[in-house]
Amino acid sequence: MKKNKLKILTLVLATSTLIGMGQSVSAHTRLEVPIAVEGVRVTNNVAIGHGCGEKAIIGTSVVFPDGKDSVITVGGQPHAGTLTDFVSNWGPNVQPLQTRAVFDFVDEKQGSTGNVVGFWSGGGSGMPAHMNAFVPFRVSATNIEPTSCANSVKFFVSIVDICEITGIDALRSGSGESGGPVNLWTHNNLGTPYDRVSAEDDGPASLTITRDLTKNPLPGSCGAGVDIEVKPSAAQINRDMPIKFNGQQVWPQ
Ligand SMILES: [Cu+2]
């Protein structure tokens, strides 16, 4: 009897400590595995860090740059060419994995070319504000173009965690971390209704593919090589961020 009481008390204490920690930590939504070597398929998770203030997360919308009209920089400088200059097989590389662990539904997002460019998950009771949650997906083996000088290619991943279903105009009405309708893990400067409200471009998660220098050495003319960054276009975010369910847009609405 005494032992049992102690156990319950310990449990209650442990729980309240966790709640306290959850409220003070403000972990942004990021990928569980943010860096992967080229040529290797990885199982990954979107790691949701917190709710919108006290509000639970009821869904999430995730968009990878499609590589069609994406904005590419090489060592920080704009690149006029295409993603195929650096990545030889960026197509349907992202695949959500079925689960009902956090949300009831999950589905792919198809981009302009029919490739999967992201996914959404939502429905059910969702993630309480003080918790963390994983939304699983897979990234197929991504290859760095052998003739390129790329050491790494960083894809910025735009994510909106949803706490309240609203119209598109309400999305930027106040920071989600203090209780707005959504948390915007997006770029701050694309000029879309999904742009993060922030002075710095600190919103998006990212996935960096690093070159396998043993199997795919840099060409001799490359010197130390370059680091590539890939951001989505505003047009892609506007097209691919909304959530469609059975062909109908259900968020924002
Ligand atoms: Cu945060």
Side-chain angles (χ1 to χ4, degrees), residues 115-140:
N115 284 333
V116 176
V117 295
F119 48 90
W120 66 271
S121 194
S125 52
M127 187 198 91
H130 66 281
M131 294 296 289
N132 292 173
F134 274 177
V135 179
F137 67 102
R138 198 174 62 195
V139 184
S140 57

Side-chain angles (χ1 to χ4, degrees), residues 26-28 50 177 185:
S26 159
H28 290 0
H50 55 73
E177 309 212 9
W185 309 117

Side-chain angles (χ1 to χ4, degrees), residues 226-246:
V226 289
D227 295 312
I228 315 302
E229 292 192 347
V230 188
K231 297 178 184 177
S233 68
Q236 192 204 343
I237 291 297
N238 284 322
R239 184 187 59 236
D240 295 337
M241 192 57 86
I243 295 176
K244 294 188 181 107
F245 187 59
N246 293 333

